[in-house]
């Protein structure tokens, strides 16, 4: 397969260079080729989006909804082939990837329905015979910059609300998910997204992404990715006074209290830390355990880690695939070495698969490092979890909050008072009781605190606030 740009309703192959795409489960296999854009392509996409804006913004929400309903139908129809492409491209196990495409179907339906929902309020006026009300209008042209780890769901949870609100979009996906992005765009085009309303620009972040921020006439930017890049996006948008949202990294903690139901807790910890090979912004990276049950939790986790099925992403029995790329492999294995050098490895997964064939990193549970150690403070974005003991609930809370990040946090306990205190005191945008740290529902607001987010929220009704601006209207009829 080859990537293509879609700009102003035309498919074309950009000329900024090529890049071979290899299957991370079997790196000898070349899946396709990416054709990279030049900064001028981003500018052309911006022009196309600006030109298409008045007509799209002027359509009724109901008419825009028809396109999203049709897209939902097509994504459903092509669920398996799209999931297989994405699994092959970035290594997420096929069962998880099918779930992700299904989530995209639900998101498309959810935002389609928003096309006919009331989005304003009538506010009593002080003057007589004045009707005062608010209405929401589109932002305009929106830049969408996405990461590779949810190659279908994240783009759709940005593009669908942007479109239903009447915006037009320039989308720059991560290079590592650009074959999937091309297919996603083909399906949206087939669903009837008009020329210029969505524009796909494939290319490198540092050149094409940066050109989108610096040289394209945008009214808003929605970004998901690392905190380092997100800060650059925020600075560029702030200097242009463009509305932006940045959803960034996490260092999510799961607290296990002595009264937790371990039969349910252990599978939730395993899924939180190791599904998607730990490459979720909401993955459980720190496990903080009441010392009273520390040894038992470690023993049970070690057993569970030993039985994690590691293998090629496209095999249906695989629970954990490879990490997504050579860069990911190098980064994650540097933390594995740190754990071996500075700490103590409590458990390591095993597999019969020849791990040299792909970017496989076996799941690992580590301990024995100070709280300021990189293993406890830095986002690893891989299947490495660090476990810490706490002597009191207060200490557990302090450890939980001792991070610059604030995306997601969980507690496992039967004690209602501790559960409620946790919901109150944990410094995270998603706080959960007896549920893993990962697990985002499209109908709820999603976003982090501290260095994890620009403090805006995505998904649910929150997305409609981001992709619109409010006008306060007043009509004198006396
Ligand atoms: P990056 O920040 O490296 O990249 C994200 C996107 O930004 C990519 O499309 C990238 O392009 C682009 N980009 C890179 N540099 C620039 C630039 N100077 N200007 C404009 N765009 C640029 O993150 P990853 O793709 O590696 O994703 C992993 C990160 O994403 C993790 O830190 C993770 O926590 C975070 N994440 C956060 C989520 C959340 O909702 N909070 C959800 C999922 C992931 P390219 O890759 O092509 O160079």
């Amino acid at each position: 397969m080859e990537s293509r740009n879609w700009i102003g309703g035309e498919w074309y192959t950009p000329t900024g260079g090529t890049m071979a795409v290899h299957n991370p489960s079997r790196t000898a296999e070349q899946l396709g080729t990416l054709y990279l854009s030049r900064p001028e392509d981003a500018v052309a996409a911006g022009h196309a989006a600006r030109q298409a804006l008045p007509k799209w913004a002027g359509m009724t929400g109901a008419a825009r909804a028809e396109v999203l309903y049709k897209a939902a139908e097509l994504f459903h129809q092509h669920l398996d082939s799209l999931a297989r492409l994405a699994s092959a491209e970035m290594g997420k196990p096929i069962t998880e990837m099918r779930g992700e495409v299904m989530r995209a179907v639900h998101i498309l339906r959810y935002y389609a329905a928003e096309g006919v929902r009331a989005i304003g309020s009538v506010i009593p006026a002080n003057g007589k015979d004045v009707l005062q009300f608010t209405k929401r209008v589109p932002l305009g042209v929106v830049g969408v910059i996405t990461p590779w780890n949810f190659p279908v769901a994240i783009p759709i949870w940005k593009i669908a609300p942007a479109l239903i609100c009447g915006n037009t979009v320039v989308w720059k996906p991560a290079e590592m998910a650009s074959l999937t992005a091309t297919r996603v765009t083909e399906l949206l085009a087939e669903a009837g997204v008009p020329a210029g309303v969505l524009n796909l620009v494939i290319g490198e972040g540092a050149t094409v992404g940066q050109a989108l921020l610096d040289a394209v006439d945008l009214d808003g930017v929605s970004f998901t990715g690392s905190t380092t890049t997100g800060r650059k996006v925020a600075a560029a948008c702030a200097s242009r006074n463009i509305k932006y949202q940045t959803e960034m990294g996490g260092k999510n903690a799961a607290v296990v209290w002595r009264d937790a139901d371990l039969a349910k807790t252990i599978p939730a910890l395993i899924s939180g830390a190791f599904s998607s090979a730990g490459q979720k912004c909401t993955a459980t990276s720190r496990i903080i355990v009441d010392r009273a049950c520390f040894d038992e939790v470690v023993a049970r986790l070690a057993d569970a880690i030993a039985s994690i099925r590691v293998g090629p992403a496209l095999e249906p029995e695989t629970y954990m695939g490879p990490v997504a790329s050579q860069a990911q492999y190098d980064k994650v294995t540097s933390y594995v070495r740190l754990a071996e050098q500075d700490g103590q490895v409590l458990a390591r997964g095993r597999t019969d698969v020849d791990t040299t064939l792909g970017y496989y990193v076996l799941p690992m549970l580590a301990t024995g490092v100070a709280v300021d150690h990189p293993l406890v403070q830095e986002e690893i974005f891989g299947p490495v979890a660090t476990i810490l003991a706490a002597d009191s609930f207060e200490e557990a809370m302090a450890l939980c909050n001792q991070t610059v990040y604030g995306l997601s946090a969980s507690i496992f306990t039967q004690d209602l008072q501790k559960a409620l205190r946790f919901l109150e005191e944990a410094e995270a945008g998603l706080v959960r009781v007896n549920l893993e740290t990962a697990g985002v529902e499209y109908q709820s607001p999603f976003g982090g605190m501290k260095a994890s987010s620009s403090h805006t929220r995505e998904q649910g009704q929150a997305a409609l606030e981001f992709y619109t601006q409010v006008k306060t209207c007043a009509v004198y009829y006396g």
Side-chain angles (χ1 to χ4, degrees):
M1 183 178 174
E2 295 182 343
S3 74
R4 293 184 294 167
N5 280 359
W6 195 49
I7 296 182
E10 301 289 329
W11 287 102
Y12 78 96
T13 302
T15 56
T18 58
M19 186 181 278
V21 180
H22 293 274
N23 182 344
S25 299
R26 214 182 116 75
T27 48
E29 182 191 339
Q30 184 173 338
L31 289 174
T33 305
L34 298 189
Y35 289 88
L36 305 177
S37 304
R38 298 174 190 278
E40 310 77 280
D41 297 301
V43 175
H47 287 315
R50 182 65 59 191
Q51 227 176 355
L53 181 64
K55 193 165 173 205
W56 181 249
M59 281 166 63
T60 62
R64 292 195 291 260
E66 287 308 316
V67 177
L68 295 193
Y69 280 124
K70 181 69 189 166
E73 205 181 301
L74 287 170
F75 275 63
H76 201 205
Q77 200 178 317
H78 295 278
L79 188 150
D80 199 55
S81 58
L82 181 57
R84 291 182 73 78
L85 172 64
S87 280
E89 189 174 25
M90 49 66 73
K92 185 176 293 192
I94 186 66
T95 333
E96 270 189 79
M97 201 56 234
R98 284 200 187 101
E100 183 180 331
V101 178
M102 195 58 216
R103 192 198 308 185
V105 172
H106 290 303
I107 295 168
L108 286 160
R109 289 185 190 142
Y110 176 85
Y111 285 112
E114 292 302 322
V116 290
R117 210 180 294 280
I119 46 164
S121 48
V122 177
I123 301 161
N126 287 340
K128 195 172 175 306
D129 298 334
V130 174
L131 172 64
Q132 180 169 248
F133 61 97
T134 58
K135 63 186 283 180
R136 288 190 170 272
V137 297
L139 271 184
V141 176
V142 177
V144 164
I145 302 175
T146 52
W148 46 266
N149 64 333
F150 284 87
V152 176
I154 290 180
I156 292 298
W157 85 46
K158 294 176 188 295
I159 291 169
L163 294 188
I164 200 65
C165 292
N167 301 282
T168 56
V169 171
V170 179
W171 175 26
K172 208 301 284 172
E175 277 156 64
M176 278 158 55
S178 286
L179 295 180
T180 306
T182 303
R183 186 67 192 127
V184 162
T185 306
E186 284 171 1
L187 292 175
L188 290 169
E190 193 182 333
V193 173
V197 168
L198 171 67
N199 302 275
L200 174 69
V201 187
I202 307 282
E204 290 168 329
T207 52
V208 177
Q210 197 65 47
L212 182 59
L213 298 173
D214 294 339
V216 176
D217 180 18
L218 296 176
D219 301 295
V221 173
S222 181
F223 166 90
T224 298
S226 62
T227 298
T228 311
T229 310
R231 286 197 167 134
K232 287 188 204 159
V233 171
C237 292
S239 71
R240 294 177 62 185
N241 198 30
I242 296 173
K243 191 174 184 183
Y244 65 89
Q245 60 180 194
T246 51
E247 286 306 330
M248 303 176 283
K251 187 70 186 173
N252 313 295
V255 173
V256 182
W257 204 246
R258 66 189 67 176
D259 56 13
D261 177 347
L262 292 187
K264 292 180 182 153
T265 302
I266 300 299
L269 295 175
I270 294 290
S271 173
F274 303 115
S275 58
S276 292
Q279 300 168 115
K280 292 182 185 175
C281 50
T282 49
T284 305
S285 187
R286 298 174 298 145
I287 302 174
I288 299 163
V289 184
D290 182 349
R291 200 178 294 280
C293 61
F294 187 82
D295 292 343
E296 190 181 356
V297 170
V298 168
R300 290 203 193 200
L301 278 174
D303 284 348
I305 288 171
S307 60
I308 287 177
R309 193 82 174 238
V310 179
L314 283 171
E315 282 186 10
E317 315 78 45
T318 292
Y319 183 88
M320 209 190 93
V323 295
S325 65
Q326 181 73 54
Q328 269 294 98
Y329 182 83
D330 293 345
K331 182 178 157 202
V332 177
T333 50
S334 75
Y335 286 101
V336 168
R337 281 195 297 279
L338 263 188
E340 288 164 349
Q341 274 164 33
D342 300 351
Q344 192 190 343
V345 176
L346 295 175
R348 198 78 214 268
R350 48 177 185 245
T351 179
D352 296 333
V353 169
D354 179 354
T355 53
T356 60
L357 294 178
Y359 300 126
Y360 294 98
V361 182
L362 295 175
M364 172 188 259
L365 182 68
T367 196
V369 286
V371 288
D372 58 354
H373 190 276
L375 278 177
V376 188
Q377 291 303 326
E378 294 174 10
E379 183 181 47
I380 299 172
F381 222 56
V384 177
T386 307
I387 189 162
L388 308 160
D391 287 308
S392 66
F393 185 73
E394 286 66 30
E395 191 190 356
M397 287 312 304
L399 286 170
C400 177
N401 289 334
Q402 203 170 344
T403 163
V404 295
Y405 296 108
L407 190 52
S408 181
S410 291
I411 189 167
F412 293 86
T413 182
Q414 305 298 318
D415 180 334
L416 184 61
Q417 192 208 31
K418 290 203 168 49
L420 292 176
R421 268 188 70 188
F422 183 84
L423 296 180
E424 192 66 31
E425 294 171 27
E427 295 165 357
L430 303 166
V431 279
R432 301 159 69 85
V433 176
N434 297 326
L435 288 165
E436 64 177 272
T437 55
V440 174
E441 300 211 353
Y442 59 86
Q443 69 276 32
S444 300
F446 172 71
M449 294 180 176
K450 294 156 66 175
S452 291
S453 161
S454 54
H455 320 291
T456 48
R457 293 291 178 263
E458 293 196 272
Q459 306 199 62
Q461 298 295 299
L464 305 172
E465 276 167 37
F466 178 75
Y467 290 106
T468 56
Q469 45 198 333
V470 175
K471 276 188 176 174
T472 304
C473 310
V475 181
Y476 176 60
Y477 57 89

